[in-house]
Amino acid sequence: MAVLFLQILAVIAYYSHATKLPLVVNTWPFVDANKEAAVVLTEGGSALDAVEKGCTICEVEQCDGSVGYGGSPDENGETTLDAMIMDGETHDVGSVGCLRRVKSAISVARSVMEHTTHTLLVGELATKFAMNMGFTVENLQTNKSNDRSVLKSHVNRENHDTIGMVVIDGAGKIACGTTTNGMNHKIPGRVGDSPIAGAGCYVEKGVGGAAATGDGDIMMRFLPAYRVVQSMRAGMSPEDAAKEALSQISSYYPQYSGALIAVHVNGSYGKKDSVLKDRNHKGTKTTLPTRLLALVFPPTAKSCIGTFDWKVGLNWKNSLQ
Ligand code: GLY
C-alpha cells in the first residue's frame, strides 16, 4: 500500500457569528474525541475541560497509534508523550515533553498549568512531577511497540500525527490542546512541536485558535499556530491565515508534510478547504483520508459534523443528533 503524504493541506472552519457556538474542532477524524469534548460543553464544562477530555479519549483509544501509550516507540523501543493545553482567557499554558511512563499526558500538562508557575516540564522529571501530583506511573510499552520490526523511520500518516484540538465554549471562551507520542523511531529525547505553544496549538481570546499536525521537527521552526492567530488578529480569514502559514513552511521545505486547522472566535462556519498540494513519496498525486473537522452544537441542540475530503472539500452534515 502506498505511503500517503499530506504535503500541504490547510483545512479551515470559519466562524462568523456566535450563534454557532460552542464548537469543537480537531485535526483528524477522531470522532469520539470531539463527541466527548462536546458532551463536556453541553454539561456546562469549560473549554479547558472539553479540551482535556477530548484529548484524553484519544490517549485512551490510542488514536491512529500516534496518540497515547504504545505508539511511535523511540530507538530504544520506549514510547514517550508530548502534550500541551492553553487557556485563551488567561494566556496560561501547561506542557510536557518526552513524558515517560505516564499515560495521561494532557492531564499532566493541565496540572503543570494549574499547579505550577512553569510552562513546560520534560523527561524523567516531568514523570516525577506527575507522580507527585498523584498520576499513575506505568510501563507504556505494548506488544506492538515491543516489536522491533515497527521501528522504521519513515514519515507517513501513522508516523507523524497528533491530535490538536480547539474548543470555543458557549460564552466564547477558547482553549486548545495537543497530545501525541511523536515520531516513530525518534532519537530518545526528541520533543516535537506538540508541546510548544504557538507551534502545536495557540489560542487568543477575542481572536481565535489554531492547531497543527504533521512533521513537528519542521513545523516547530515556524510557530505556525501563532502565525495563524496573529494573521487573523490582523484581519485575515482563517483560510488565508492557514494558507499563508503553510506556504511559508513549504517555501523552505517543499517536501514537508503537515496541516493546520484555524478557527475564528466569532462563530459561524462557512469557508472552503484549501488544498495546495498533495503527493505520495514518489511525487505522484494520491488520495487523502476524509477527516472530521468539527462538531457544532448550536442552540437548536442540533449537532453537525464537518468532514474534509480532498476531492469534495469541506462538507457539513447534520449526521449527529
Ligand atoms: N506533530 C507531532 C510531532 O511531530 O511530534
Side-chain angles (χ1 to χ4, degrees):
M1 197 171 101
V3 176
L4 299 182
F5 270 57
L6 293 170
Q7 172 65 11
I8 301 292
L9 169 64
V11 183
I12 314 301
Y14 180 39
Y15 292 84
S16 65
H17 64 90
T19 54
K20 298 297 180 189
L21 301 180
L23 68 90
V24 179
V25 184
N26 87 57
T27 44
W28 287 101
F30 300 145
V31 181
D32 292 347
N34 272 13
K35 275 186 189 169
E36 289 297 325
V39 167
V40 170
L41 294 177
T42 55
E43 290 177 351
S46 67
L48 274 178
D49 295 336
V51 164
E52 183 183 2
K53 186 62 187 259
C55 289
T56 296
I57 293 298
C58 252
E59 289 172 347
V60 171
E61 292 186 349
Q62 301 168 285
C63 287
D64 270 358
S66 61
V67 182
Y69 66 98
S72 307
D74 66 18
E75 286 178 342
N76 296 332
E78 181 180 0
T79 292
T80 57
L81 304 178
D82 296 342
M84 75 165 274
I85 193 163
M86 180 166 189
D87 183 349
E89 287 303 296
T90 60
H91 220 78
D92 205 355
V93 175
S95 296
V96 286
C98 202
L99 178 69
R100 307 177 75 184
R101 304 191 311 285
V102 181
K103 285 183 176 172
S104 36
I106 187 72
S107 296
V108 180
R110 187 165 180 180
S111 287
V112 172
M113 184 176 79
E114 293 186 341
H115 299 291
T116 80
T117 55
H118 306 312
T119 298
L120 171 61
L121 298 182
V122 298
E124 192 62 32
L125 295 173
T127 306
K128 186 142 194 272
F129 167 79
M131 201 161 53
N132 290 338
M133 295 301 297
F135 288 90
T136 302
V137 176
E138 58 195 312
N139 194 332
L140 301 191
Q141 285 167 264
T142 60
N143 289 340
K144 190 175 171 196
S145 66
N146 283 331
D147 179 358
R148 307 296 291 178
S149 69
V150 303
L151 294 180
K152 292 175 189 154
S153 185
H154 62 255
V155 177
N156 61 21
R157 178 180 170 173
E158 285 73 37
N159 187 14
H160 251 301
D161 285 339
T162 182
I163 179 169
M165 180 176 276
V166 179
V167 172
I168 308 176
D169 70 18
K173 293 182 177 169
I174 189 166
C176 70
T178 62
T179 183
T180 184
N181 49 37
M183 181 188 181
N184 201 12
H185 202 243
K186 60 197 170 196
I187 293 172
R190 183 260 189 192
V191 173
D193 60 326
S194 300
I196 307 301
C201 75
Y202 189 79
V203 284
E204 204 167 298
K205 70 177 171 186
V207 182
T213 181
D215 186 342
D217 289 307
I218 302 289
M219 294 183 90
M220 68 197 296
R221 299 171 193 171
F222 295 87
L223 297 180
Y226 175 79
R227 187 178 178 120
V228 165
V229 174
Q230 295 318 308
S231 295
M232 290 194 292
R233 169 187 275 287
M236 211 179 267
S237 73
E239 179 172 4
D240 288 345
K243 275 164 79 172
E244 196 249 355
L246 291 172
S247 298
Q248 191 209 17
I249 301 173
S250 65
S251 72
Y252 286 88
Y253 300 98
Q255 300 307 316
Y256 128 91
S257 165
L260 287 168
I261 54 169
V263 180
H264 195 277
V265 80
N266 283 346
S268 179
Y269 61 86
K271 215 55 181 151
K272 293 193 289 190
D273 60 278
S274 169
V275 180
L276 303 184
K277 287 182 197 171
D278 65 281
R279 63 176 66 177
N280 67 17
H281 66 300
K282 291 179 183 143
T284 56
K285 201 162 182 176
T286 187
T287 306
L288 300 175
T290 299
R291 60 170 61 185
L292 180 73
L293 276 184
L295 182 63
V296 185
F297 279 88
T300 58
K302 208 169 206 181
S303 54
C304 305
I305 275 187
T307 57
F308 173 81
D309 183 288
W310 77 278
K311 281 184 187 154
V312 297
L314 192 59
N315 178 31
W316 295 90
K317 301 177 198 162
N318 290 327
S319 55
L320 284 184
Q321 299 302 320

